[in-house]
């Protein structure tokens, strides 16, 4: 089965052009559509509709050619180029087509679900296909706020001609489409030369990153087009899943698009950010302002409200890069400084008592309510790296905006935070290796007291010195520490130790590719005992977070920083190890996942192989962004996320 899928730029419709080929004998293909209208899976109603033709002045049925589903004011119509030979609509697991087809035939054909809503499936039989006689069939799915609107969208696409729709989608002739977008990415050809697959994943990543931008709210960059473990997640209520704005993931995507040479989307993203920043007039807020919301819908609707200080620093860092690239004028930056940058930087200095929904905690930076994995409070190397970079770049903007006093205050605070990084987060009496390394996080300012961190994902809160992660490498990425800083170098052996028990082990070399989990004792993944997806059957200690491909890119960035610092000219080994490694994690559709299988425990019903993407979020925008940024860093011979004023202040030799 070959499917060619694209959208109609002028209609709310999706085109699926399909060719069926029987390899031997004959086949009878069936189309199955599980609609999940209105972003739920339980409230749908459906029907099979006949097409008609006029014969001798009378309307006569041609048979079923349209499948219809709706919930509330959301409607879906699927139409085909010719009638189905059989069609049915039924409830999942009871009367749906997939269940019915277990014997190879669609025995029962139901025309409607009636008045009963539920989790439904639409089915259509497409007729027999003989070996050596390929059959083409085209389908269009139209959407609308009524049945008539959905039908109009689908019919409008058919009437235009599907070849013409594809030409418009691609941007042929005078139409503006994807070919035009790719052509606008001035740096893509250059950085694609750093790939080891001929640029295939680089070009696919460019497209994948652009489609993370919401089409209604310009600049709203989401984390993924997926719900992680969506095959097992209850869809009774609407869920954004990863289809939402996290300023951290947002930053990664915007910076990758800037690396590609996209000068419009990152700017739209920067201008979008104020609507997800907490202000005095933020609905329900009675506390501190200036920080950025943990997670929101694309329209700014509040979803999660914990404070993650890296998510408050990164909008400042993005603005600085756009300003230095000449995409934000001095005048616009002066306005954004007053409106957004200064309130954020002030919060990074002062913190404050929160007052939004359930959150009434007091945050005193650089102590963060949550670090980048949204699970632990305390002092985090990765969070502190971003906070220091955010304050130093805020100082540059403040000075240019005429606020010298704030600039000096931001720098003094950054110096204080940077000067205490090791004393707060580097243990010299740890239980791993030689006892000297950065811990993932510590709840107080003593990294040697072996105090427990919090429980997360049903994993017990272990002593802080037992948990390491790659967050310390962010200190090098942003320029807060040189690549050969003693504290950085001392931590690498503990981060890379592959002899540690699986529960606490972080590094796994998969098919020769160096790869890392988020941290030891991570429980955000499949169950090692049952093979169940995350959270199935409740939160249990058997859950295990797997390897995340973008850590391969993060390590590549560190190795590049170290090589450049030592004056190395040849970076071929970095390209062959880390670029090729990330490319190996892409699936057949050139999508990079959140997590890949590490080979530990039950391989699940999917019989995962080491290095294969799991049912976590796929594609993950952050992974594609890290890949693109690594290519750009290699092409430039400079780490793309390195901030010159930060490096000059803390890493210069």
């Amino acid at each position: 089965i070959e499917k060619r899928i694209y959208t109609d730029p002028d209609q709310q419709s999706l085109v699926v052009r399909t060719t069926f080929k029987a390899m031997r004998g004959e086949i009878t293909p069936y189309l199955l559509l599980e609609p999940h209208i209105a972003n739920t899976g339980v409230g749908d109603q459906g029907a099979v509709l006949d097409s008609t033709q006029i014969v001798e002045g009378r309307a006569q049925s041609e048979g079923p050619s349209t499948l219809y589903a709706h919930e509330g004011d959301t409607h879906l119509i699927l139409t085909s180029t010719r009638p189905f030979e059989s069609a049915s609509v039924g409830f999942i697991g009871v009367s749906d087509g997939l269940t019915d087809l277990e014997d190879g035939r669609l025995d029962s054909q139901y025309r409607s679900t009636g008045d009963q809503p539920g989790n439904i499936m639409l089915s259509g039989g497409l007729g027999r296909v003989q070996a050596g006689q390929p059959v083409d069939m085209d389908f269009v799915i139209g959407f609308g706020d009524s049945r008539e609107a959905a039908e109009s969208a689908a019919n409008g696409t058919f009437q235009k001609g599907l070849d013409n729709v594809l030409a418009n989608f691609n941007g042929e002739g005078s139409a503006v489409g994807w070919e035009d977008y790719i052509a606008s990415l001035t740096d893509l050809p250059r950085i694609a030369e750093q790939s080891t697959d001929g640029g295939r994943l680089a070009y696919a990543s460019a497209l994948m990153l652009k489609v993370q931008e919401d089409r209604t709210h310009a600049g709203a960059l989401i984390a993924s087009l997926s719900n992680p473990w969506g095959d097992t997640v209850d869809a009774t209520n609407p869920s954004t899943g990863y289809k939402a704005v996290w300023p951290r993931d947002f930053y990664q995507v915007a910076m990758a698009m800037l690396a590609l040479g996209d000068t419009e989307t990152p700017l739209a993203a920067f201008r979008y950010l104020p609507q997800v920043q907490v202000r005095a007039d933020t609905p329900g807020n009675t506390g501190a302002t200036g920080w950025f919301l943990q997670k929101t819908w694309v329209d700014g609707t509040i979803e999660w409200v914990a404070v993650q200080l890296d998510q408050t620093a990164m909008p400042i860092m993005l603005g600085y890069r756009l300003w230095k690239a000449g995409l934000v004028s001095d005048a616009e930056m002066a306005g954004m400084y007053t409106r957004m940058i200064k309130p954020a930087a002030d919060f990074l200095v002062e913190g404050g008592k929160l007052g939004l929904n359930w959150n009434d905690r007091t945050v005193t930076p650089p102590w963060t309510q949550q670090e980048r994995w949204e699970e632990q409070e305390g002092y985090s190397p990765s969070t502190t790296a971003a906070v220091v970079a955010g304050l130093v770049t805020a100082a540059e903007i403040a000075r240019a905006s005429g606020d010298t006093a704030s600039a000096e205050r931001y720098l003094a605070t950054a110096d204080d935070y940077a000067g205490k990084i090791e004393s707060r987060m580097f243990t010299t009496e740890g239980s791993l290796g030689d006892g000297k390394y950065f811990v993932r996080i510590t709840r107080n300012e003593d990294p040697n007291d072996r105090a427990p961190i919090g429980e997360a994902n049903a994993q017990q809160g272990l002593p802080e010195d037992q948990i390491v992660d790659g967050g310390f490498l962010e200190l090098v990425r942003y320029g807060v520490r040189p690549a050969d800083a003693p504290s950085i170098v001392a931590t690498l052996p503990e981060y890379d130790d592959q002899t540690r028990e699986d529960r606490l082990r972080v590094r796994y070399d998969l098919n020769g590719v160096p790869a890392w989990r988020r941290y030891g004792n991570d429980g955000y993944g499949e169950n090692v005992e049952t093979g169940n997806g995350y959270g199935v059957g409740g939160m249990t200690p058997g859950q295990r977070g797997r390897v995340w491909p973008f850590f391969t890119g993060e390590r590549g960035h560190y190795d590049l920083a170290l090589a450049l610092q030592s004056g190395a000219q040849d970076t071929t080994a970095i390209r062959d190890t880390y670029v090729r490694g990330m490319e190996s994690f892409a699936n057949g559709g050139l999508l990079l996942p959140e997590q890949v299988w590490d080979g530990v425990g039950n391989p699940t019903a999917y019989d995962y192989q080491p290095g294969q993407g799991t049912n976590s979020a796929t594609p993950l925008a952050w992974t594609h962004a890290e890949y693109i940024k690594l290519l750009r860093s290699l092409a430039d011979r400079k780490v793309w996320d390195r901030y010159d004023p930060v490096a000059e202040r803390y890493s210069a030799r």
Side-chain angles (χ1 to χ4, degrees), residues 23-87:
M23 305 308 293
R24 59 180 182 273
E26 66 178 24
I27 59 171
T28 303
Y30 289 83
L31 178 146
L32 303 174
L33 171 59
E34 187 176 353
H36 278 221
I37 295 293
N39 200 29
T40 71
V42 296
D44 299 351
Q45 294 174 266
V48 176
L49 308 177
D50 287 340
S51 61
T52 58
Q53 62 174 343
I54 305 300
V55 178
E56 297 179 352
R58 294 185 178 182
Q60 296 187 4
S61 173
E62 285 189 311
S65 66
T66 300
L67 304 176
Y68 170 52
H70 63 97
E71 178 182 339
D73 60 359
T74 305
H75 298 253
L76 172 157
I77 287 283
L78 181 144
T79 60
S80 62
T81 49
R82 59 185 179 211
F84 297 111
E85 295 205 355
S86 58

Side-chain angles (χ1 to χ4, degrees), residues 529-551:
E529 299 165 356
T530 65
N532 288 338
Y534 173 75
V536 174
M539 303 293 278
T540 64
Q543 294 172 170
R544 174 183 173 79
R546 308 294 171 169
V547 160
W548 291 49
F550 72 67
F551 292 127

Side-chain angles (χ1 to χ4, degrees), residues 217-551:
H217 303 87
L221 303 174
I222 63 172
S224 174
L225 293 164
S226 68
N227 279 24
W229 295 283
D231 61 332
T232 57
V233 173
D234 185 2
T236 302
N237 297 310
S239 170
T240 57
Y242 281 11
K243 302 181 291 291
V245 172
W246 278 267
R248 175 181 44 258
D249 299 66
F250 185 105
Y251 166 85
Q252 309 295 342
V253 176
M255 285 292 289
M257 298 179 94
L258 186 63
L260 289 165
D262 183 337
T263 59
E264 296 182 359
T265 313
L267 182 57
F270 179 61
R271 291 168 175 167
Y272 167 90
L273 281 166
Q275 67 181 296
V276 294
Q277 187 177 27
V278 177
R279 305 178 305 274
D281 61 351
T282 295
N285 183 51
T286 60
T289 60
W291 55 283
F292 283 80
L293 291 160
Q294 179 185 2
K295 178 190 179 186
T296 64
W297 296 7
V298 292
D299 65 359
T301 299
I302 298 170
E303 189 165 355
W304 294 350
V305 295
V307 172
Q308 299 169 15
L309 290 182
D310 60 346
Q311 297 207 135
T312 295
M314 287 173 171
I316 302 173
M317 295 154 63
L318 174 63
Y320 174 82
R321 287 296 294 267
L322 294 171
W323 176 49
K324 286 300 180 180
L327 301 180
V328 175
S329 68
D330 290 346
E332 180 178 3
M333 182 53 79
M336 287 294 276
Y337 172 71
T338 301
R339 180 185 182 192
M340 184 180 81
I341 302 296
K342 186 179 187 326
D346 286 346
F347 187 83
L348 294 178
V349 173
E350 302 164 2
K353 183 174 175 56
L354 311 175
L356 185 59
N357 294 351
W358 58 265
N359 198 346
D360 60 359
R361 299 288 299 277
T362 296
V363 173
T364 305
W367 183 97
T368 184
Q369 189 177 18
Q370 291 184 351
E371 35 67 90
R372 68 174 177 167
W373 307 131
E374 306 188 289
E375 298 166 351
Q376 300 289 347
E377 62 184 46
Y379 297 94
S380 154
S382 62
T383 298
T384 304
V387 170
V388 170
L391 285 171
V392 172
T393 51
E396 296 282 312
I397 299 169
R399 187 172 290 108
S401 301
D403 187 0
T404 305
S406 289
E408 294 303 318
R409 187 166 71 117
Y410 299 153
L411 288 176
T413 304
D415 289 347
D416 177 65
Y417 295 167
K420 296 176 180 176
I421 286 172
E422 279 76 11
S423 66
R424 282 174 168 160
M425 290 163 271
F426 185 86
T427 180
T428 56
E429 301 173 11
S431 59
L432 306 177
D434 66 0
K436 299 176 182 179
Y437 50 89
F438 277 109
V439 296
R440 171 197 171 193
I441 197 164
T442 177
R443 289 191 161 193
N444 55 40
E445 297 191 51
D446 183 1
N448 291 317
D449 65 1
R450 301 190 179 183
I453 60 176
E455 178 182 325
N457 298 312
Q459 308 305 305
Q460 68 181 100
L462 297 177
E464 62 196 10
D465 67 307
Q466 293 187 25
I467 309 299
V468 296
D469 78 338
F472 69 101
L473 296 178
E474 297 293 271
L475 295 164
V476 177
R477 177 189 290 257
Y478 300 137
V480 181
R481 289 290 183 271
D484 62 352
S487 58
I488 300 294
V489 174
T491 307
L492 291 173
E494 278 63 59
Y495 185 49
D496 289 341
D497 185 0
Q498 297 191 69
T499 66
R500 196 172 302 145
E501 62 172 305
D502 283 321
R503 181 178 61 152
L504 298 179
R505 180 176 166 186
V506 182
R507 178 169 175 169
Y508 288 81
D509 286 1
L510 304 175
N511 305 315
V513 177
W516 291 264
R517 300 167 67 204
R518 291 194 301 177
Y519 54 84
N521 207 41
D522 185 7
Y524 186 52
E526 294 82 2
N527 194 296
V528 295
E529 299 165 356
T530 65
N532 288 338
Y534 173 75
V536 174
M539 303 293 278
T540 64
Q543 294 172 170
R544 174 183 173 79
R546 308 294 171 169
V547 160
W548 291 49
F550 72 67
F551 292 127

Side-chain angles (χ1 to χ4, degrees), residues 10 164 167-177 179-180:
D10 301 314
N164 293 329
N168 290 345
F169 176 83
N170 287 334
E172 298 174 12
S174 61
V176 177
E179 292 178 3
D180 301 283

